[in-house]
Amino acid sequence: GSGQNGKLRILIAPSETEANATCSNYPQYAPSVNCPFPGWCLEVIMSVLVRSGNISHEFVVDRNATEYLDWGRFQDNGTFSGVLGRVESGEVDMACLFFQKSELRLKHFDFSVAVSEIRPVFIVREIPETIWSLLLNCLRPYDTGVWIGMFVAMLISTLIGRTEIRVGLRPERANGQYFSWDVFNEMFNGGDNSFYFISGKLTRLLFSVFLVGLIRGMYTALLLSALITPPNVEPIKSQSDAVRLIESGSFKLISDKSRWFGQEVAASSEPIFAEFREATKNNPMVDPISDEHALALVNQGGYIYQTQNDVAIMTDEARKCYTFVFTRGLPFRSAHFLVRKGSPWLAALNNEIMRNYPFLDSVYKRYFE
């Protein structure tokens, strides 16, 4: 439980903000001209563990930067996968990663004192204002029955027109059969021939009355849409909006089940997570295989990606046409180092964190503020 040769074994895994594997000298423990952001956890580790000099340690370095980091999913056999599994099994004593507490994790691990704080974030695609969305708004005042009735009326008018041709009350058409388009032509601009049957004249009268109401209603809907709908409408503005949209089935929630939020949705008794658990009961949460996978789904529309403000994608996505909503109702979470239950390293680690806290805070601000 105390590492090999009495040394604290620390796993360093590529995770962009914590340990930047794109640096040519990865793992790099201090900023340089070629790599000004080597990873804020790597800088913290050097400050807390090396400069302080009170903890004997060695690094276990993962160099595969192409794989999606599995923070640790709880499996059917009662153990964790990924990083948490490696800590739990004793392969390493801790990881150069910052973890948030969850009810599930607290049962299996001990946490250091807080090093920083994170804020949950929803990423959702904006709803663009297009000519088609405006047309759709114009059609919304009418329910399905109106359009079915109009379609039936067109079919009846077509049959009446064809019947008049057969009995000689309407001349044969030179360019083929009498179709619904010919009915539209006669309704809107008179066409070539009017109806002779009373049923046709009555149908045309009813259609004309309907047409007046239709156009007026569409014009009113268009004006109201322009007045009350701002450009690029954001589908969610709060945690309550997200729950409502997910529960209705119009959006699906994406959340990494190896991270704290997804685990709290599954197990926490806090009202916020209980609401998400209820909302995803019949609309299951999507567990992404990578950030790129999650963002591809968001780009399709109809998905809400839950992540947090200390992940690398936040910087890139802020420049794109996505809406970032820092939900008012969601809780902040402190970030910690994580060790096995009863680890002998915890007390020494806490002492060094508290002794070096001003430096840790300055590193955090350089990366995220």
Side-chain angles (χ1 to χ4, degrees):
S2 57
Q4 294 180 356
N5 303 318
K7 293 183 178 181
L8 174 65
R9 288 172 57 80
I10 305 168
L11 172 65
I12 297 177
S15 55
E16 298 187 8
T17 52
E18 274 103 339
N20 187 359
T22 63
C23 292
S24 57
N25 293 322
Y26 168 81
Q28 183 174 317
Y29 303 101
S32 65
V33 174
N34 294 329
C35 186
F37 297 98
W40 93 277
C41 184
L42 290 179
E43 293 191 47
V44 166
I45 286 289
M46 286 299 290
S47 170
V48 172
L49 302 180
V50 177
R51 293 178 187 171
S52 296
N54 292 332
I55 299 178
S56 178
H57 62 277
E58 62 179 294
F59 295 124
V60 177
V61 181
D62 280 357
R63 298 185 180 276
N64 190 344
T66 60
E67 292 185 1
Y68 185 54
L69 180 64
D70 180 4
W71 292 71
R73 291 169 172 80
F74 193 65
Q75 303 175 110
D76 293 338
N77 63 5
T79 63
F80 285 88
S81 64
V83 175
L84 292 182
R86 298 174 73 175
V87 174
E88 187 179 39
S89 68
E91 178 187 343
V92 295
D93 295 295
M94 61 175 289
C96 186
L97 295 167
F98 295 107
F99 290 84
Q100 288 71 47
K101 294 178 181 179
S102 69
E103 290 190 8
L104 177 62
R105 290 173 177 177
L106 284 168
K107 294 177 182 177
H108 296 264
F109 302 95
D110 287 333
F111 291 79
S112 72
V113 295
V115 179
S116 64
E117 191 175 57
I118 63 94
R119 192 176 192 180
V121 175
F122 286 139
I123 302 178
V124 60
R125 187 180 182 181
E126 294 178 337
I127 299 175
E129 196 69 67
T130 65
I131 185 62
W132 300 113
S133 63
L134 288 174
L135 288 174
L136 181 61
N137 286 336
C138 292
L139 301 179
R140 282 176 181 165
Y142 307 98
D143 60 24
T144 306
V146 172
W147 303 111
I148 292 175
M150 184 176 178
F151 178 72
V152 171
M154 298 302 298
L155 288 178
I156 292 173
S157 299
T158 302
L159 292 174
I160 293 172
R162 291 188 177 186
T163 302
E164 290 182 348
I165 291 175
R166 288 194 185 97
V167 299
L169 296 177
R170 185 187 291 264
E172 291 283 347
R173 292 181 56 81
N175 58 348
Q177 288 285 344
Y178 184 85
F179 292 106
S180 296
W181 172 249
D182 299 289
V183 177
F184 269 113
N185 184 36
E186 292 176 353
M187 296 294 187
F188 284 103
N189 53 27
D192 299 323
N193 298 277
S194 60
F195 286 110
Y196 289 89
F197 289 162
I198 297 297
S199 57
K201 296 179 183 295
L202 182 59
T203 303
R204 182 168 185 176
L205 175 63
L206 292 175
F207 185 86
S208 300
V209 172
F210 169 78
L211 186 62
V212 171
L214 176 70
I215 294 176
R216 288 182 61 186
M218 291 177 67
Y219 179 68
T220 303
L222 180 61
L223 289 178
L224 288 175
S225 176
L227 288 172
I228 67 176
T229 306
N232 297 327
V233 179
E234 298 176 5
I236 63 171
K237 295 179 181 292
S238 69
Q239 171 258 338
S240 298
D241 288 340
V243 169
R244 174 177 50 80
L245 291 170
I246 294 166
E247 197 164 25
S248 69
S250 55
F251 279 78
K252 294 184 76 69
L253 176 65
I254 307 172
S255 187
D256 186 341
K257 293 182 180 179
S258 75
R259 307 200 70 168
W260 71 276
F261 192 96
Q263 292 172 355
E264 290 289 71
V265 169
S268 176
S269 58
E270 289 184 48
I272 289 173
F273 298 109
E275 288 180 5
F276 276 106
R277 184 162 59 248
E278 186 65 26
T280 55
K281 184 180 295 182
N282 297 316
N283 186 15
M285 186 165 59
V286 177
D287 189 8
I289 59 174
S290 67
D291 285 329
E292 291 73 20
H293 171 227
L295 293 174
L297 292 175
V298 169
N299 194 48
Q300 294 175 16
Y303 288 88
I304 299 170
Y305 183 28
Q306 180 282 316
T307 182
Q308 55 197 52
N309 67 320
D310 65 342
V311 297
I313 60 169
M314 287 296 301
T315 303
D316 296 332
E317 295 306 308
R319 304 187 183 98
K320 298 180 181 179
C321 295
Y322 294 98
T323 301
F324 294 85
V325 182
F326 292 86
T327 51
R328 300 173 185 173
L330 285 173
F332 285 83
R333 275 292 199 275
S334 52
H336 310 256
F337 288 118
L338 174 148
V339 295
R340 290 193 312 281
K341 280 285 188 184
S343 172
W345 297 106
L346 186 60
L349 187 61
N350 284 340
N351 289 336
E352 297 305 327
I353 291 172
M354 290 185 286
R355 192 151 67 94
N356 290 274
Y357 192 80
F359 176 80
L360 309 188
D361 189 52
S362 68
V363 174
Y364 178 85
K365 289 178 179 178
R366 181 160 56 84
Y367 274 79
F368 302 110
E369 295 185 3

